[in-house]
Amino acid sequence: MSAGLDTAPATGGTTAPAARRGVTAARLLGLVVAGGLLLLVVLLSIAVGAKPIPLSGVIHALTHGEGSVDGVVILDLRLPRTVLGVAVGAALAVAGVLMQALTRNPLADPGILGVNAGAAVAVVFAIWIWRFSDLTDYVWFAFLGAGAASVLVYLLGSRGRSGATPVRLALAGTAVSAVLGAVISFITLLNPRVFDQFRFWGVGALSGVDADVIWQVLPFLVLGTVLALGMSGSLNALALGDETARALGSNVGLTRALGAVAVTLLCGAATAAVGPIGFVGLTVPHMARVVTGPDHRWLVPYSILLGPILLLGSDIVGRVIARPGEIQVGIITAFVGAPVFIALVRRRRIPEL
């Protein structure tokens, strides 16, 4: 009898660490698979277009430089577009993770909560009033608009006794986005110059973006991503509630402040570069949670890989179904993300994050 009692705890003690190691190994394997899938999507993004190029030609151009017409097309046009898609996709996905964690709202998204609309209306004002046309100026206005919209939505959604519930924040974000969208339409319809400069940017597109854009927005995207990775442990504590997070030693105020800075950096730079693209930040975190669960230490890295896969995959679909033209990526992501949003809203119980 004594031997049996001694054996049971020992078995349980060895099983739990083994189970944790198995989960960790499975998540690492998932990251490797996601990385391989991202590499494949990158190659397809470079190969697919009005002029299809075989993968062998893509690899030859990437390794040997501009030795042919295909090399010029790949290195001067498609490669910068693909690199920008990777950076923007990762930024929007990570911003979605942060917004869902900071608000404990599974419906949070840079588009749904008005962040993209705030950045867009600020860019419109920059074009209209100050006649800016350089992306460097757009970035700063996009930052200002994204931050102001985030604060406004949170203030509106947190009014009342119930506070900032997921549904209230989603409704506030929808209302703010509608108003800002009306302001954008009013300005652009009355000013042909503003409309001409804004129309391609406003739909959300990776095409037609100069290669210099990548270097102008990359520092902001990298800084925002590093902040998100660094605070992933604090996000896990915050998911348990403010009081529990404080009891665990987490600085809730600092976590929210750094999260707001990271979201503004990521959304502002991404929106300034390619225009407002919705639903990537909503869809990708829920895709990643299928593998990672609620652990943000894994959720953020997975989102960094899955975001570009979704965005570049949507961009490829837009080029294929409308060949020799293309459908802008912002339209495709809306078709992909809208059903996910509807499914989440229709759930009887919104899942805890």
Side-chain angles (χ1 to χ4, degrees), residues 95-119 145-158 164-178 180 263 267 277-279 281-282 341 353:
V97 171
L98 291 175
M99 296 183 76
Q100 291 174 13
L102 294 173
T103 63
R104 293 199 292 276
N105 178 4
L107 305 180
D109 166 82
I112 294 170
L113 293 189
V115 179
N116 285 349
S150 299
V151 172
L152 178 60
V153 168
Y154 187 81
L155 290 176
L156 292 175
S158 60
T165 64
V167 174
R168 288 171 65 90
L169 287 172
L171 291 174
T174 301
V176 170
S177 297
L180 295 181
V263 168
C267 292
I277 296 178
F279 291 108
L282 170 70
F341 178 68
L353 300 184

Side-chain angles (χ1 to χ4, degrees), residues 131-247:
R131 297 178 178 269
F132 288 144
S133 59
D134 187 76
L135 176 68
T136 305
D137 300 315
Y138 284 2
V139 168
W140 299 111
F141 277 87
F143 286 158
L144 178 63
S150 299
V151 172
L152 178 60
V153 168
Y154 187 81
L155 290 176
L156 292 175
S158 60
R159 292 181 64 86
R161 295 181 179 179
S162 58
T165 64
V167 174
R168 288 171 65 90
L169 287 172
L171 291 174
T174 301
V176 170
S177 297
V179 172
L180 295 181
V183 172
I184 292 172
S185 298
F186 175 77
I187 295 174
T188 54
L189 289 176
L190 293 181
N191 296 271
R193 177 187 61 83
V194 178
F195 177 75
D196 288 340
Q197 193 168 337
F198 176 78
R199 57 186 176 136
F200 292 112
W201 179 90
V203 73
L206 297 176
S207 59
V209 179
D210 191 87
D212 293 337
V213 168
I214 301 171
W215 300 110
Q216 291 172 332
V217 302
L218 191 60
F220 305 106
L221 299 179
V222 170
L223 179 57
T225 303
V226 170
L227 281 175
L229 288 169
M231 59 189 296
S232 58
S234 299
L235 294 177
N236 283 343
L238 194 64
L240 301 174
D242 290 0
E243 294 301 326
T244 304
R246 292 189 184 95

Side-chain angles (χ1 to χ4, degrees), residues 23 37 97 99 162 182 188 239 284 326 331 343:
V23 171
L37 183 57
V97 171
M99 296 183 76
S162 58
T188 54
V284 171
E326 64 179 76
I331 299 174

Side-chain angles (χ1 to χ4, degrees), residues 42-165:
V42 165
L43 292 176
L44 289 176
S45 177
I46 298 174
V48 175
K51 183 182 187 302
I53 300 174
L55 288 179
S56 59
V58 171
I59 296 174
H60 183 271
L62 293 177
T63 55
H64 293 82
E66 298 180 357
S68 62
V69 175
D70 288 349
V72 173
V73 171
I74 289 172
L75 296 179
D76 292 348
L77 299 176
R78 295 187 185 174
L79 182 60
R81 174 176 183 164
T82 300
V83 172
L84 186 62
V86 171
V88 169
L92 293 177
V94 172
V97 171
L98 291 175
M99 296 183 76
Q100 291 174 13
L102 294 173
T103 63
R104 293 199 292 276
N105 178 4
L107 305 180
D109 166 82
I112 294 170
L113 293 189
V115 179
N116 285 349
V121 77
V123 169
V124 169
F125 274 102
I127 298 172
W128 176 39
I129 298 176
W130 292 278
R131 297 178 178 269
F132 288 144
S133 59
D134 187 76
L135 176 68
T136 305
D137 300 315
Y138 284 2
V139 168
W140 299 111
F141 277 87
F143 286 158
L144 178 63
S150 299
V151 172
L152 178 60
V153 168
Y154 187 81
L155 290 176
L156 292 175
S158 60
R159 292 181 64 86
R161 295 181 179 179
S162 58
T165 64

Side-chain angles (χ1 to χ4, degrees), residues 317-340:
V317 170
R319 283 182 257 173
V320 170
I321 64 178
R323 186 178 289 174
E326 64 179 76
I327 299 175
Q328 304 301 338
V329 67
I331 299 174
I332 301 297
T333 57
F335 276 104
V336 172
V340 176

